[in-house]
Amino acid sequence: MKASVNGISVDYSLEGKKGGLELVLIHGFPFSRAMWAPQIAALKKNYRVLSYDLRGLGKSRLGKAPQPLEAYVDDLLLLIEKLKLKAPILCGLSMGGYIALRAVEREPGRFRALALCDTRADADQDVVKLRRAAGIKALREKGVTVYCKAMLPGLLAKGAAAPAAKGLLKIMMASKADGMANALSAMAGRTDCSAALRDFKIPLLIMVGDQDQLTPPELARAMSMMVERANFSRVPEAGHVSNLDNPGAFNSQLLSFLAGLKA
Ligand code: MLT
């Protein structure tokens, strides 16, 4: 489905149990909502699940560029409003986690709970900003296919099944260079949410693939220690895109967190 939000057309799907707890799945970079297929299949029986493509990725339009991370947060808040979700749980992976964290920082009373997957709360160090600048250059000069193929090995666990890697690459290559470049620049300019995270009062789950090389388990663990009563779990045999690497373990950890909210 399409919604006109914040000056762009956003591709989304809202499915699952009417009247169930609402959950918004926010994908990472440079993916699309297609990455959440195994989670939607597991969640939709009991939950109302919204997934959408971030601006400039998948089938959502980029709109006027450049756009900072704040615009991605505006998109999320406006989409939630448009679809009349009352108190959704946010679940963001990596870049999706950056957006979710900032959304809760901006509107703490609006969300029921937060699940952060393979992500971090702090802002980019200079070395990462420079890597992103090199990524934008590579996208412009070499194109999406070369960029995505170079990125792929760092995303999944060692020995990940070939179909999983192929499926992820297909999702990545469905986006355009301009949208990817904007996302890189937006991530480089994002604010540090660490101080805000310490004050979050809503239930929090921090999940991480035990082989995540980009946001490693130690970092996720340290982030969970910053928040009183945060739930922390490692997804076994999973890399950065832990929800696709080991959907069974990822789903059972997420479902058990969600079941605890109902009680
Ligand atoms: C992601 O998966 O969204 C990215 O790896 C996040 C990042 O580059 O910081």
Side-chain angles (χ1 to χ4, degrees), residues 15-17 20-21 23-25 36-50 89 91 250-251 254-256 258-259 262:
E15 52 199 303
K17 188 179 169 186
L21 272 183
L23 193 73
V24 186
L25 303 174
W36 294 115
Q39 282 65 52
I40 294 171
L43 290 162
K44 69 182 180 187
K45 183 162 176 262
N46 292 316
Y47 298 92
R48 190 83 178 136
V49 188
L50 169 65
I89 299 150
C91 173
F250 184 99
N251 290 350
L254 181 60
L255 283 165
S256 128
L258 295 175
K262 281 185 170 173

Side-chain angles (χ1 to χ4, degrees), residues 28-29 31 93-95 98 132 151 187 214 240:
F29 169 86
F31 316 123
L93 185 134
S94 204
M95 182 183 179
Y98 308 157
R132 298 207 197 275
M151 188 179 180
M187 288 191 282
L214 300 181
H240 185 60

Side-chain angles (χ1 to χ4, degrees), residues 19 21 128 146 184 198 205 223 233:
L21 272 183
V128 181
V146 171
L184 284 170
R198 282 190 190 93
L205 169 65
M223 191 162 68
S233 65

